Amino acid sequence: MSAMYEKLNISREPDSPEQLSALRALLAAVQPELQAIVGSFIHRFYEQLLKQPRFARVLNLLSEAEFARLRQNQERHLRSLFQPRNEAAARVARHVGRVHALVGLEASWLTESFGLYTRLLIMHFAGRVDASERVALLSYFVTRLQDELQWQIEGHEEIGRQLDAALARIDAAILSAHTLSDLLRSVLGALENIEGVVAGTLGRPDAAGVLQFEHAFGSRFKTLYLDRIGTDAVEGTTVRGDSAQGLGASGRAWRSREVQYTAAYATDPAIQPWKQLAGELGIRSAVSIPILDVSGQPMALMDLYSSYPGFFTSADRRVFVEHLQRVLGLAFARHASSPSGVVPYARRQFYVDLLDRGGLQMLYQPVINLGTGRPEKFEALARLKRPDGDGLISPLEFLPVLGAKDMWHLFSRGLEQALLARHRWAAQGVDVDVSVNMPPAALSDARYVERVEQLLRSHPTDPKRLTLELLESGDLDLSERRDALLARFRATGVRLAEDDLGSGYSSLLRLDSFPFDEVKIDQGLLGGLGKAPRRALDFIQHLTRLAHDLGSAVVVEGLESPGLVEAAIILQADAGQGYGLARPMPADAVVEWVRGFRLSIDREHPRTALGIYAAHLLWERRLAYMSPWPDVLPLAARAATALHDYIEREGLEGSPLHLAFLRLINALAEGVDKPAFTQAQEDMRRQLDLLVRAELA
């Protein structure tokens, strides 16, 4: 037998029946000795590892039961090394390599531990086999461990590649996401693909300091934890430091504004309130990452959970976490400089489920032609039906939580409902247009224009009877892809409108770069009427002129009162929309409403304070055109009839408003460039401001 061992070359795979037979004989021969040394070898191996701080740091994260299981696994692994090489052994070794990476062992540590493993095993075997076996056994064992080390390093590197891929996907999402909700879903989706990461949440505390989770992944985590928060089985987490539920990593991260690591649930006393639940969920470590604004204040909190102890605490994993914290801070600053109210995960899911299960109902608000006083179109406005039938959910609640997929479904289904409604109205003799809101993503996602093309074919409609309103976005996409999609929308023949003109600088840029048929002046510009009436009316006047100069029709939104309606008419807007004209209504109510509606328009004789102020602004503008020719100023004085008629009709003769008007007309005769006229003009504006405030009050 000894001669056979001496001829055995184990440095490569046996390539003959004799070699293979010799290898099997050798491995069978050492089995009794192997069984005798397994226990003592494993004990000595871990004894030596625990003397080295970096290995001890990882091993000390284990509970007694976990350490016992590790020793048992290591004993089985040792026995497997004394079996011929095969693909199953390679798969197991790669898995072990991944596990080593997941618990925080660095690749260089594997090489060191293999060296220790080899030395100890040779020492244990040295006196138990004869010389004829020893050389062949040593040759086999060294070669076998070299293969094992290579396979484990391959597994270890696989985890590194997963982390790199997750970061690349997150960075790409930050550049391409249109909404914060969509971005956060992409981020959590990337993290969910990392082996060993079993759950994750992102949330913010409510007014009471209780953490409300707004996004999450991990099906078991959602079922056993998120869905049970607030019940007797599961207490919520708070960020306050005055209760046990606030002393865990999440609360500490929020208060300290620093990342908090839970290296091992088995050994960390701070997580005692969640220890039993973590055991049910298979969670063994976690990290809590505060998302900070530019001043270092927390805006949100991300918690990630792993099924491996020490997952987040290795040097490379800490770099990963710090990068994640930075990019999420930048993302929140970009998408949510003024974060909306906290929307818990369960409510977010509730809205998405309603949309998916046919809960979308479009209401229709008329857009009134301010020249004819008749409705010219109806804007379709999305609502969600409550399951109990008790009312509708406003888009202010559900739109901020929808991601790209959900927004696509909302647009697709809403557009189809609107076209069907228009067809029914036309069949009853009410032939009006419809408009549908379209998110900015439509100019980077071809599905939107394809859906428009499809529905125009399946619901025969003159395309010009459909208006697509492009919602405001903080980003201005000037790419070739946008131009190509915009050309496709144009080719369908539909009208394009810019929604919320004046709500931001980007909306003005888009007005210059997009060929809009229509623009809608943002109703937010009218919010300052009570404090600065002239400023709000000036916005309407100047934006209307700007849009007209660029060839676009103008719709003024937010006409909530007869005064605002009158002002929009006098300032020469083309159309208006708002509660002062009509509230949104179900599709079935449109026909009857149209037949009974008529807006009385008298541009020359305004009857409201806002109307008279708008008429005065229009007069001032005309006066500016006349100022180079002093001889025509008397004509300008006679043109101020709207204000004169209003004073007479309302019985305001002798009032401060009347006296200011008389001073203005008298000063006009001296010239618009004289101090007297400037002073009279300021007095007139102050009186009109007071008149509007009194009307609003």
Side-chain angles (χ1 to χ4, degrees):
M1 179 70 76
S2 61
M4 179 174 65
Y5 294 157
E6 290 170 0
K7 296 178 181 178
L8 182 59
N9 181 3
I10 312 292
S11 62
R12 55 185 174 83
E13 289 290 334
D15 55 4
S16 67
E18 293 79 7
Q19 289 276 315
L20 183 59
S21 177
L23 174 60
R24 289 174 175 167
L26 171 64
L27 296 178
V30 300
Q31 289 301 313
E33 286 77 7
L34 178 63
Q35 295 300 326
I37 69 164
V38 163
S40 62
F41 167 75
I42 296 302
H43 174 79
R44 183 70 183 279
F45 176 64
Y46 283 113
E47 183 180 59
Q48 293 296 315
L49 285 181
L50 286 167
K51 291 179 180 180
Q52 302 183 49
R54 57 183 179 278
F55 289 109
R57 178 185 61 79
V58 175
L59 292 172
N60 286 334
L61 297 176
L62 304 178
S63 66
E64 290 185 9
E66 289 172 333
F67 198 12
R69 285 197 297 273
L70 176 62
R71 290 166 59 96
Q72 292 171 0
N73 289 337
Q74 195 63 260
E75 289 179 6
R76 285 196 295 271
H77 184 250
L78 175 59
R79 295 187 184 97
S80 74
L81 294 177
F82 288 85
Q83 300 293 330
R85 286 170 286 192
N86 53 54
E87 186 53 38
R91 286 197 301 271
V92 170
R94 292 188 184 101
H95 171 72
V96 171
R98 291 199 303 275
V99 171
H100 283 148
L102 294 170
V103 300
L105 286 176
E106 297 180 16
S108 61
W109 299 6
L110 291 181
T111 304
E112 184 176 348
S113 65
F114 266 79
L116 173 63
Y117 200 92
T118 303
R119 292 193 302 274
L120 289 177
L121 194 60
I122 291 173
M123 187 178 3
H124 273 67
F125 261 105
R128 292 181 173 271
V129 294
D130 60 38
S132 63
E133 296 172 325
R134 192 175 301 134
V135 174
L137 182 62
L138 176 61
S139 175
Y140 164 79
F141 186 69
V142 169
T143 302
R144 183 70 172 81
L145 279 184
Q146 287 175 342
D147 291 339
E148 183 79 12
L149 177 60
Q150 178 60 38
W151 293 329
Q152 288 202 22
I153 288 176
E154 289 172 1
H156 195 286
E157 291 174 343
E158 184 179 331
I159 300 302
R161 287 192 294 272
Q162 290 182 22
L163 293 167
D164 292 342
L167 282 183
R169 183 175 166 187
I170 289 169
D171 291 344
I174 288 173
L175 294 175
S176 62
H178 292 282
T179 67
L180 181 62
S181 179
D182 192 35
L183 169 63
L184 296 179
R185 290 177 189 219
S186 296
V187 169
L188 293 180
L191 296 171
E192 188 174 14
N193 286 331
I194 300 173
E195 184 176 348
V197 179
V198 295
T201 62
L202 195 139
R204 289 175 281 173
D206 60 17
V210 178
L211 197 58
Q212 300 291 337
F213 301 105
E214 301 175 75
H215 295 272
F217 68 84
S219 57
R220 184 172 174 80
F221 182 86
K222 292 176 184 178
T223 302
L224 294 182
Y225 181 56
L226 293 185
D227 293 346
R228 297 164 64 195
I229 289 178
T231 67
D232 293 338
V234 177
E235 291 189 75
T237 299
T238 178
V239 298
R240 303 194 315 269
D242 57 357
S243 70
Q245 282 69 37
L247 298 179
S250 299
R252 297 198 310 271
W254 185 268
R255 295 192 300 273
S256 69
R257 303 172 181 80
E258 295 179 353
V259 176
Q260 298 292 319
Y261 297 90
T262 302
Y265 272 60
T267 58
D268 190 340
I271 54 83
Q272 187 59 39
W274 303 275
K275 190 170 183 177
Q276 180 177 347
L277 180 60
E280 294 178 37
L281 293 169
I283 291 173
R284 300 168 80 184
S285 66
V287 62
S288 295
I289 309 170
I291 311 305
L292 308 177
D293 63 18
V294 292
S295 62
Q297 297 301 311
M299 297 182 290
L301 188 70
M302 173 174 280
D303 287 291
L304 300 176
Y305 302 91
S306 174
S307 54
Y308 292 89
F311 181 91
F312 300 101
T313 53
S314 66
D316 61 335
R317 225 57 54 80
R318 287 176 182 266
V319 171
F320 178 90
V321 167
E322 290 168 4
H323 179 84
L324 189 59
Q325 183 186 34
R326 284 195 300 273
V327 298
L328 285 175
L330 293 173
F332 265 83
R334 175 186 172 194
H335 288 278
S337 54
S338 299
S340 59
V342 176
V343 182
Y345 160 79
R347 197 187 311 167
R348 288 173 178 265
Q349 194 58 48
F350 170 71
Y351 294 149
V352 173
D353 288 345
L354 280 182
L355 179 60
D356 288 343
R357 296 172 184 173
L360 177 65
Q361 177 178 332
M362 306 303 284
L363 297 185
Y364 299 87
Q365 187 174 32
V367 177
I368 307 301
N369 185 306
L370 298 182
T372 66
R374 300 298 296 169
E376 63 180 24
K377 76 172 68 173
F378 280 79
E379 180 183 359
L381 301 169
R383 302 291 189 268
L384 291 178
K385 294 180 288 189
R386 297 186 184 278
D388 57 8
D390 186 20
L392 300 173
I393 300 172
S394 163
L396 293 177
E397 292 186 51
F398 64 81
L399 278 183
V401 313
L402 300 184
K405 176 183 176 183
D406 307 315
M407 289 296 288
W408 152 246
H409 287 152
L410 178 67
F411 172 79
S412 177
R413 295 163 186 168
L415 176 59
E416 184 166 24
Q417 284 192 29
L419 291 175
L420 286 170
R422 186 194 173 281
H423 180 73
R424 291 197 300 271
W425 303 333
Q428 298 175 67
V430 175
D431 193 15
V432 291
D433 298 354
V434 290
S435 64
V436 177
N437 291 313
M438 187 168 69
L443 296 185
S444 59
D445 186 342
R447 291 181 302 168
Y448 284 85
V449 70
E450 290 167 358
R451 182 60 169 160
V452 171
E453 293 166 343
Q454 176 192 4
L455 288 176
L456 287 175
R457 289 192 300 268
S458 59
H459 299 81
T461 300
D462 181 353
K464 286 185 170 51
R465 311 306 298 274
L466 169 63
T467 301
L468 298 176
E469 299 184 16
L470 188 65
L471 295 172
E472 166 66 11
S473 169
D475 300 317
L476 181 65
D477 182 6
L478 298 174
S479 66
E480 292 182 3
R481 178 177 177 80
R482 181 221 70 175
D483 292 339
L485 287 175
L486 189 59
R488 283 187 66 178
F489 276 115
R490 276 285 174 209
T492 66
V494 302
R495 291 172 57 83
L496 295 177
E498 175 176 19
D499 201 7
D500 296 340
L501 176 65
S503 63
Y505 178 61
S506 66
S507 68
L508 296 175
L509 290 180
R510 289 196 309 178
L511 182 60
D512 180 51
S513 62
F514 282 56
F516 288 113
D517 300 292
E518 174 187 300
V519 297
K520 303 185 78 173
I521 294 179
D522 179 29
Q523 60 182 320
L525 295 176
L526 305 179
L529 273 172
K531 293 182 179 179
R534 180 184 178 85
R535 181 180 178 84
L537 294 175
D538 268 339
F539 269 125
I540 295 177
Q541 179 178 222
H542 294 310
L543 289 175
T544 298
R545 288 176 59 198
L546 174 63
H548 283 165
D549 288 345
L550 293 172
S552 299
V554 174
V555 179
V556 180
E557 297 182 297
L559 301 183
E560 308 296 287
S561 68
L564 280 171
V565 173
E566 202 169 56
I569 291 171
I570 290 168
L571 293 176
Q572 301 177 338
D574 300 288
Q577 181 179 6
Y579 285 6
L581 295 165
R583 290 177 175 269
M585 62 191 77
D588 293 342
V590 165
V591 171
E592 182 179 354
W593 182 89
V594 169
R595 289 172 176 165
F597 177 81
R598 183 74 183 183
L599 177 65
S600 177
I601 295 175
D602 187 349
R603 297 177 184 273
E604 304 303 321
H605 301 92
R607 307 187 65 86
T608 66
L610 280 168
I612 200 63
Y613 207 153
H616 183 71
L617 289 180
L618 201 60
W619 177 79
E620 284 187 344
R621 192 176 86 191
R622 291 169 179 168
L623 183 64
Y625 295 148
M626 297 178 183
S627 59
W629 299 278
D631 54 329
V632 300
L633 290 180
L635 295 176
R638 289 197 294 273
T641 56
L643 184 52
H644 181 268
D645 292 348
Y646 179 84
I647 291 170
E648 283 190 347
R649 187 173 59 252
E650 298 297 321
L652 297 175
E653 291 88 346
S655 68
L657 177 67
H658 186 205
L659 296 176
F661 173 70
L662 294 176
R663 285 193 297 271
L664 181 67
I665 297 302
N666 290 334
L668 180 60
E670 300 179 20
V672 296
D673 56 344
K674 297 295 190 290
F677 180 79
T678 302
Q679 182 61 51
Q681 194 174 39
E682 290 299 321
D683 291 344
M684 186 74 248
R685 291 172 180 174
R686 278 194 293 271
Q687 291 303 317
L688 288 170
D689 282 347
L690 292 173
L691 187 69
V692 168
R693 290 181 186 130
E695 180 175 86
L696 293 176

